[in-house]
Amino acid sequence: MEKKSIFSAIQATGKLTLGNYLGAIHNWVKLQDEFACTYAIADLHTLTVRNNPETIRQNIMDLLAVLLAAGVDPNKATIFIQSHVAAHSQMAWVLNCYTYMGELSRMTQFKDKSAKHADNINAGLFTYPVLMAGDILLYKADLVPVGEDQRQHIEITRDIAERFNKLYGETFVIPEPYILGVGARVMGLQNPTSKMSKSSTIPNDSIYLTDTKDEIVKKIKKAVTDSEGIVRYDVENKPGISNLISIYGAIQNKTKEEVEKEFENANYGSFKNAVAEAVVGVIEPLQQKYQEIIKDTTYMEKVYREGAKKAEVIANETMREVYEKIGLVL
Ligand code: TYM
């Protein structure tokens, strides 16, 4: 049987968090053996927020180096930079014409981001989910591995694809969100009722993949808990401890119940030590590999050039099919 296909992408916005790692990168590595995986560095998506050109270029290379350091293997998965495959922009335009203002207005990420960047609510911020839908639909992906926060964007992708298929006949595969396990929703350490985010302004709230061991240990020690003193998963009443259980479980490949059992008799101090050790255990080796890879610009260029070549074959074929169906002259 043919392998199911997977597409996913991460924005190259600089600081990656432990949430990005456990919600996405960690799973990308696991999935590449079993599925036909295409992974993109979403550089076009980052243009919705202003940044200087040098920083943008650096962020793209940084993300590629992190992915390779984490174990994404270009011999198993296709890995490329979104803007290198022109079909992403072409598809986004076409799909814009099959997406309604009303449905885009309901996107929670748009509402959040426009509140945060009130001085720059550009049209790109609004149509961002359409570019994302195009990314996925170009590769006819069956599954899209993402964290919980991206679920709504996969739902709109499905709606757009179904609408198009109804009008023009079977064209797109309707993708399923593939939201894996306990790491799918890593919350802030200080504010465990909202997701751990790259742009958090609360000190010690997010763990970054660039943090030192001391910073990680300090942040986890300071993470908010509760007064019950029992390592028990209960998101409503114990969001802080529940989040630490999720983080530990995602790293150690354990369920919530297994983590509760392991720390049945532990106090919060020793539990936090174990969580910190687990987090440092993944981040430190990743940083060491990253340092080697980021220097090897020849290797990185080879990876992204070859990746784009492979991606382009599939993307261009879908693009032609779409142009033909909607009535453009080929
Ligand atoms: P982005 O770059 O914000 O996040 C990348 C991935 O990390 C996951 N993630 C989290 N998972 C668990 N806990 C968290 N606190 C956390 N924070 C982030 C996200 O769910 C995501 O899987 N629009 C997308 C990028 C994108 C894309 C696509 C994704 C562009 N095109 C096509 C899938 C398919 C984004 O901004 O993700």
Side-chain angles (χ1 to χ4, degrees), residues 7 9 11 42 44-46 48 82 88-89 91-114 122-138 144 149-161 163 175:
F7 181 90
Q11 275 202 73
L44 296 172
H45 277 102
T46 67
T48 56
Q82 184 189 30
H88 289 260
S89 304
M91 185 63 96
W93 173 253
V94 172
L95 297 182
N96 266 327
C97 304
Y98 296 86
T99 308
Y100 295 104
M101 304 281 282
E103 56 190 343
L104 288 173
S105 315
R106 286 193 292 274
M107 295 291 112
T108 50
Q109 192 168 311
F110 170 69
K111 290 189 223 163
D112 290 352
K113 286 207 175 166
S114 42
N122 57 65
L125 202 60
F126 190 62
T127 60
Y128 177 112
V130 184
L131 179 60
M132 177 162 162
D135 295 342
I136 298 167
L137 299 178
L138 275 173
V144 186
D149 62 313
Q150 293 297 319
R151 187 187 286 278
Q152 201 184 28
H153 290 156
I154 315 287
E155 272 160 21
I156 195 175
T157 301
R158 290 168 60 89
D159 292 343
I160 297 169
R163 186 172 303 144

Side-chain angles (χ1 to χ4, degrees), residues 249-309:
I251 295 174
Q252 308 287 25
N253 245 325
K254 287 187 172 160
T255 62
K256 310 186 253 282
E257 293 75 21
E258 285 168 335
V259 180
E260 284 174 344
K261 187 105 194 62
E262 185 177 342
F263 295 95
E264 216 170 17
N265 301 312
N267 58 28
Y268 287 168
S270 57
F271 175 53
K272 282 181 164 180
N273 286 340
V275 177
E277 202 176 307
V279 173
V280 170
V282 290
I283 292 186
E284 260 191 349
L286 192 138
Q287 290 175 348
Q288 280 160 9
K289 281 227 181 89
Y290 165 88
Q291 290 303 342
E292 287 166 31
I293 294 168
I294 197 76
K295 281 186 232 140
D296 197 348
T297 48
T298 316
Y299 171 64
M300 287 210 290
E301 181 169 352
K302 179 169 174 278
V303 169
Y304 69 69
R305 296 256 178 256
E306 284 177 3
K309 247 190 230 157

Side-chain angles (χ1 to χ4, degrees), residues 185-199:
R185 198 168 158 74
V186 178
M187 310 306 275
L189 297 179
Q190 291 300 316
N191 180 11
T193 50
S194 28
K195 77 165 179 176
M196 183 181 283
S197 136
K198 303 172 206 190
S199 52

